Amino acid sequence: MNILYEDDQIIVVEKPVGIESQSNRTFEPDMVSEVKKHINSLSPKKGEPYVGVIHRLDKPVGGILVFGKTKEAAGALSKQVSGHQMEKTYLAVICGKPVDNFGTYVDYLWKDGKNNISKIVDKGITDAKRAELSYRVLEELEGEEGPLCLVEIDLKTGRHHQIRVQFSGHGTPLLGDLKYNPAGPKVAGQRNVALCAWKLAFTHPGNKKKMEFTVKPQGTVFNKFGTVSEYQSMR
């Protein structure tokens, strides 16, 4: 487990691709369990360590997660999420090119829990939730089956499969997304959806300092874009 930061109130980690954010009642590993093991290995105590889930990433998506190590810290971080004060920035590779190089998508999503998918629906549909994100195209490559674009995404809301659903619904689905783009083009070595929660910024719940973390996106397709290397050199 790649730990980016830790103190007595919070822990910031990089979630690998293919790992659940929290337990889904199977025997597969998940980040909450791994963080608990880590905390217990440092200071064994009776009972299970507290790990407060602040936000989640889909199983095929890698990137940064922050957890609260106390209820107070978790509560303060959760308020930042609900108040849109936690900055969650993603990098994605999409199939095709948006009409505009930057913009905002506002849709209403309905979650089909039985089939574990979400759909863009009309605003008045029962249980439909507002979903908003902004994006900008950073770089374009010509792939064998059409253009591929590297986009940076600022997630304003945190809906189920939001980025994947919205980009698919707007005609530029994510590369490698078998759920929302099963017939899409393939890139050698790219086995998962080309999406990474690459940057996270928030205010520390204790000392109130602004904290910002970045990681390198996982997946061979990201290495084809020079912008990714430039971002890494700026860290």
Side-chain angles (χ1 to χ4, degrees):
M1 184 169 62
N2 182 19
I3 298 173
L4 305 178
Y5 177 85
E6 182 178 13
D7 60 25
D8 59 350
Q9 293 181 295
I10 66 172
I11 181 170
V12 182
V13 300
E14 180 181 5
K15 185 188 91 66
V17 168
I19 303 294
E20 296 281 2
S21 292
Q22 64 184 113
S23 175
N24 62 353
R25 298 180 182 180
T26 68
F27 293 105
E28 295 183 0
D30 65 272
M31 293 307 297
V32 171
S33 298
E34 294 303 308
V35 170
K36 286 181 178 180
K37 289 179 185 177
H38 165 74
I39 294 173
N40 197 49
S41 69
L42 293 180
S43 54
K45 297 179 180 178
K46 291 184 179 180
E48 199 170 83
Y50 177 84
V51 175
V53 177
I54 312 303
H55 57 130
R56 302 170 181 82
L57 295 175
D58 297 342
K59 183 177 180 179
V61 178
I64 306 171
L65 290 173
V66 58
F67 295 97
K69 293 174 67 176
T70 68
K71 291 183 179 180
E72 293 76 16
L77 289 171
S78 294
K79 284 184 179 179
Q80 291 184 44
V81 173
S82 60
H84 307 295
Q85 297 166 324
M86 183 175 288
E87 300 169 25
K88 295 177 285 184
T89 309
Y90 293 71
L91 288 177
V93 178
I94 59 174
C95 301
K97 186 178 181 180
V99 175
D100 300 309
N101 284 330
F102 59 90
T104 298
Y105 292 153
V106 178
D107 300 293
Y108 284 82
L109 304 187
W110 175 77
K111 180 181 178 181
D112 179 355
K114 183 178 180 181
N115 295 302
N116 192 33
I117 60 171
S118 287
K119 302 176 182 179
I120 295 178
V121 297
D122 293 333
K123 180 178 178 180
I125 297 295
T126 302
D127 296 328
K129 295 183 177 180
R130 186 178 184 276
E132 180 180 353
L133 61 79
S134 60
Y135 73 89
R136 63 187 182 111
V137 177
L138 301 178
E139 192 175 345
E140 179 182 353
L141 293 177
E142 191 61 39
E144 293 182 3
E145 300 178 50
L148 298 174
C149 287
L150 178 71
V151 294
E152 184 178 63
I153 302 158
D154 289 320
L155 196 61
K156 308 299 184 183
T157 54
R159 307 306 181 196
H160 178 255
H161 293 173
Q162 180 181 336
I163 293 173
R164 300 160 66 185
V165 177
Q166 286 192 277
F167 275 91
S168 177
H170 287 270
T172 52
L174 270 62
L175 180 74
D177 192 345
L178 299 180
K179 188 177 290 287
Y180 298 100
N181 187 26
K186 304 294 187 290
V187 172
Q190 182 68 34
R191 299 179 180 178
N192 294 282
V193 57
L195 177 63
C196 175
W198 89 280
K199 182 163 67 174
L200 184 69
F202 57 89
T203 301
H204 191 285
N207 59 33
K208 308 305 179 185
K209 290 183 179 180
K210 183 68 177 289
M211 309 194 77
E212 183 176 298
F213 303 91
T214 62
V215 294
K216 183 178 180 180
Q218 300 178 41
T220 57
V221 69
F222 286 105
N223 297 326
K224 296 180 180 294
F225 293 90
T227 307
V228 173
S229 298
E230 291 176 10
Y231 272 25
Q232 285 305 110
S233 65
M234 292 168 57
R235 288 184 59 184

